């Protein structure tokens, strides 16, 4: 359903009492799970060149339509107020695995392979098909975020989500992505720690504290329990692995509460020992579950739009549901409008970088 701009205007008025920006300061009692902020989906992604998008469309117009988006450099997104980034990573321990993608070869459109020959995690959406990134390596992406964070030390905590890509190439003659094992995830943790030291990183151990499980720490009350206060979390980042049960189990490496690990995971259930963070991407269908998780103390990420659909019709209903659900981080492909689609964009009321969460903080 298309919502006129006047509808969103009045919705903003209704929430104005809690829309005060949490940067650069907030009430001392607020914790990092008392905020609400906007982020971006596939934050690294550079738009596919028209010639290559046309080639994709010959096989699937729907796929081409869904892939027709891109983002500004990470620094610019952070400047716009984005406080959640999503980065797809691909394991490349020897280097060069993804340096010569097929679609650019077939299209003849120039492809910059700088950094792709070196060992380490690479950043791209789909091997051989959707391969251009604002930062080609994971470490480069993290260094860009850290440089911005260094220059803006009062920012609220930034969530960096990761998808660990694997599987077969969608292009004939392409390169299949490698699977993940404990060694692969050891390497991923190592790259995170090579950029963000313990003074800049919020980890599961920080939230668990002295409690038996991470979940116990999240749900506990008291001044030294659970998520850090917003003031203590300023200038820091935290990471979440957005994957299903099988890959989450591999990442955990028998650390049932993620002990000693730098990354939260998409929790298998609200009762799991490691439960702290959830990806729930449909704020309409999952509205009740999101609200319940937020009220309990878990952190939730959801999406305001998907596959360019809402932007093409200026449909803000999914975003409005996300706001009301209390999801902490609301992801979009449109922090600014795409003129040929229309005025659709996703911003918090009053243009705040982060506001008090409407489900957790009373006006």
């Amino acid at each position: 359903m298309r919502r006129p701009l006047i509808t969103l205007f009045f919705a903003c008025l209704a929430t104005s009492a809690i829309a005060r920006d949490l940067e650069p300061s907030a009430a001392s009692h607020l914790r990092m799970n008392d905020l609400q902020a906007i982020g971006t989906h596939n934050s690294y992604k550079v738009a596919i060149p028209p010639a290559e998008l046309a080639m994709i469309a010959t096989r699937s117009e729907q796929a081409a339509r869904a892939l027709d988006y891109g983002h500004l450099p990470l620094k610019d997104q952070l400047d716009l107020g984005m406080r959640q980034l999503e980065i797809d990573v691909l394991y490349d321990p020897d280097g060069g695995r993804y340096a010569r993608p097929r679609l650019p070869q077939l299209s003849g459109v120039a492809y910059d392979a700088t950094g792709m020959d070196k060992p380490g995690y690479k950043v791209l959406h789909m091997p051989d098909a959707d391969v251009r990134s604002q930062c080609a390596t994971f470490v480069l992406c993290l260094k860009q975020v850290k440089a911005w964070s260094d220059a803006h030390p009062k920012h609220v905590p930034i969530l960096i989500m990761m998808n660990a890509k694997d599987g077969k190439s969608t292009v004939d003659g392409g390169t299949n992505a490698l699977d993940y094992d404990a060694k692969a995830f050891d390497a991923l943790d190592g790259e995170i720690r090579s950029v963000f030291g313990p003074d800049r990183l919020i980890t599961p151990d920080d939230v668990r504290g002295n409690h038996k499980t991470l979940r116990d720490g999240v749900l506990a009350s008291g001044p030294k329990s659970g998520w850090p206060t917003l003031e203590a979390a300023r200038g820091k980042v935290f990471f979440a692995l957005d994957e299903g049960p099988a890959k989450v189990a591999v990442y955990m490496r028998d650390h049932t509460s993620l002990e000693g690990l730098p990354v939260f995971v998409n929790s298998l259930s609200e009762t799991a020992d490691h439960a702290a963070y959830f990806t729930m991407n449909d704020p309409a269908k999952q509205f009740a579950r999101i609200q319940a998780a937020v009220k309990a103390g878990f952190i939730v990420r959801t999406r305001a739009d998907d596959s360019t659909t809402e932007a093409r019709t200026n449909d803000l209903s999914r975003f409005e549901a996300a706001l009301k659900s209390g999801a902490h981080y609301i992801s979009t492909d449109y922090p600014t409008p795409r003129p040929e689609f229309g005025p659709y964009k996703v911003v918090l009321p009053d243009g705040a970088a982060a506001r008090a969460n409407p489900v957790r903080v009373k006006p």
Side-chain angles (χ1 to χ4, degrees):
M1 177 177 60
R2 181 179 300 190
R3 295 292 182 91
L5 291 178
I6 191 68
T7 301
L8 185 60
F9 173 75
F10 283 115
C12 292
L13 286 180
T15 57
S16 61
I18 58 169
R20 185 175 64 83
D21 201 336
L22 297 180
E23 294 183 2
S25 64
S28 61
H29 68 280
L30 293 182
R31 295 180 178 271
M32 59 179 279
N33 62 330
D34 291 325
L35 64 73
Q36 188 171 58
I38 307 299
T40 51
H41 161 251
N42 291 342
S43 310
Y44 58 87
K45 187 178 179 310
V46 173
I48 301 172
E52 293 173 14
L53 199 64
M55 295 173 71
I56 294 171
T58 62
R59 298 189 62 174
S60 171
E61 290 186 4
Q62 182 178 358
R65 179 183 173 95
L67 293 171
D68 187 13
Y69 66 95
H71 286 294
L72 297 168
L74 300 185
K75 172 185 178 297
D76 294 343
Q77 295 178 50
L78 292 165
D79 283 341
L80 285 170
M82 301 299 100
R83 296 298 179 262
Q84 170 259 306
L85 301 172
E86 181 180 15
I87 301 176
D88 290 342
V89 295
L90 292 94
Y91 188 42
D92 187 15
D94 300 318
R97 188 172 186 86
Y98 308 103
R100 286 160 286 279
R102 286 290 293 152
L103 208 57
Q105 293 178 36
L106 296 172
S107 71
V109 179
Y111 171 72
D112 183 0
T114 302
M116 297 297 284
D117 283 323
K118 297 180 180 180
Y121 274 87
K122 304 305 185 296
V123 175
L124 54 100
H125 190 216
M126 298 170 62
D128 297 299
D130 190 0
V131 296
R132 291 171 172 81
S133 302
Q134 296 287 359
C135 39
T137 70
F138 187 45
V139 167
L140 178 58
C141 292
L142 298 187
K143 287 181 175 179
Q144 291 177 2
V145 176
K146 185 174 184 296
W148 185 91
S149 178
D150 289 344
H152 301 81
K154 293 294 186 180
H155 69 77
V156 298
I158 296 169
L159 167 61
I160 301 177
M161 296 172 52
M162 301 171 295
N163 291 133
K165 291 296 186 78
D166 56 11
K168 294 183 178 180
S169 173
T170 59
V171 179
D172 293 341
T175 300
N176 298 334
L178 296 175
D179 291 333
Y180 292 82
D181 56 14
K183 183 179 179 180
F185 282 128
D186 283 343
L188 184 67
D189 290 349
E191 292 198 2
I192 291 171
R193 287 179 164 135
S194 75
V195 178
F196 290 101
D199 61 323
R200 303 293 292 280
L201 188 61
I202 300 164
T203 69
D205 284 344
D206 295 327
V207 178
R208 188 179 69 257
N210 295 324
H211 295 277
K212 181 179 179 181
T213 69
L214 176 56
R215 179 180 182 273
D216 288 344
V218 168
L219 300 183
S221 60
K224 295 184 179 180
S225 296
W227 298 101
T229 65
L230 272 175
E231 294 310 308
R234 291 194 187 281
K236 297 183 180 183
V237 302
F238 68 115
F239 289 80
L241 182 66
D242 179 21
E243 289 292 347
K247 212 171 290 182
V248 163
V250 175
Y251 176 79
M252 290 177 66
R253 288 159 282 180
D254 297 323
H255 296 234
T256 57
S257 281
L258 303 172
E259 301 93 339
L261 301 178
V263 177
F264 296 87
V265 296
N266 185 18
S267 304
L268 302 184
S269 76
E270 286 85 343
T271 61
D273 286 351
H274 63 266
Y277 164 84
F278 290 88
T279 296
M280 300 186 197
N281 282 331
D282 193 326
K285 293 181 179 179
Q286 296 176 293
F287 187 89
R289 188 184 176 200
I290 292 173
Q291 279 209 333
V294 170
K295 288 177 181 178
F298 302 111
I299 282 181
V300 179
R301 177 264 197 174
T302 195
R303 290 183 66 176
D305 41 71
D306 187 11
S307 302
T308 77
T309 301
E310 287 78 11
R312 293 176 188 271
T313 59
N314 193 30
D315 183 358
L316 292 161
S317 59
R318 182 167 173 164
F319 175 45
E320 292 172 353
L323 285 173
K324 294 174 183 176
S325 75
H328 300 88
Y329 295 93
I330 302 170
S331 182
T332 182
D333 287 320
Y334 303 93
T336 59
R338 181 169 171 178
E340 62 267 42
F341 287 174
Y344 179 88
K345 69 174 181 178
V346 170
V347 295
L348 284 180
D350 294 351
R355 69 169 184 166
N357 192 300
V359 170
R360 291 189 56 82
V361 181
K362 294 182 179 180

